[in-house]
Amino acid sequence: MDLKVKIGFDEKAEDILERLINALGCSVKATPQAEPKKSVESISDVEMAEPVTEDIPESKEEPVDYVGLKREAKTIGVQLVQMKKKDEVKALVAKYGYKKISDVSDEDIVKFVQELRTIKEEK
């Protein structure tokens, strides 16, 4: 198996690499080094554009307090029952596929509380 590697190092690094190769028992075929270029010529007359620095708006949404919303749902539910709107509360709970307010999932609680608030505002 032949392994060919072409690497350019300074003399100290080459010496270390050569000792490592000898210690491993491998043979190295040295090739002449290419002259390093001191400068790179421009091959295009296109100017570099400035990087785009768009301000990405940060999400201003606050995390949802599911525990607080569930507590609020229960409180509004009790208030609605006291306002003789028990049937509306039962219908809303059933609409979401639950048997009682405490069963409402975190996914549904935000909309559920909004609808409870709407029912409460209707007098």
Side-chain angles (χ1 to χ4, degrees):
M1 173 198 253
D2 289 340
L3 176 66
K4 296 180 182 179
V5 179
K6 185 176 181 181
I7 302 175
F9 293 105
D10 62 9
E11 286 183 29
K12 186 175 181 180
E14 283 182 22
D15 182 49
I16 293 170
L17 187 58
E18 187 176 317
R19 282 192 267 157
L20 175 65
I21 291 171
N22 288 334
L24 294 173
C26 300
S27 63
V28 177
K29 181 179 176 183
T31 57
Q33 290 184 339
E35 291 292 320
K37 288 193 171 189
K38 295 185 181 179
S39 66
V40 177
E41 294 180 29
S42 175
I43 59 171
S44 173
D45 58 352
V46 177
E47 293 182 23
M48 292 295 292
E50 292 184 26
V52 178
T53 55
E54 283 184 29
D55 291 334
I56 300 172
E58 293 182 22
S59 176
K60 294 182 181 179
E61 293 180 23
E62 294 182 21
V64 178
D65 178 16
Y66 295 109
V67 174
L69 283 173
K70 286 189 177 194
R71 190 177 309 124
E72 182 181 354
K74 288 179 186 178
T75 302
I76 295 173
V78 169
Q79 292 171 349
L80 290 172
V81 168
Q82 292 170 348
M83 296 169 60
K84 310 287 188 224
K85 295 189 177 187
K86 183 177 183 177
D87 293 336
E88 287 94 331
V89 174
K90 280 186 170 185
L92 182 62
V93 172
K95 173 183 170 184
Y96 283 88
Y98 301 104
K99 293 185 179 191
K100 51 188 178 177
I101 292 175
S102 60
D103 293 339
V104 177
S105 71
D106 289 351
E107 293 175 355
D108 294 331
I109 194 69
V110 174
K111 289 181 181 180
F112 184 81
V113 169
Q114 289 172 346
E115 290 192 49
L116 280 174
R117 291 174 185 158
T118 303
I119 293 170
K120 184 179 175 184
E121 291 171 4
E122 296 171 357
K123 292 192 177 185

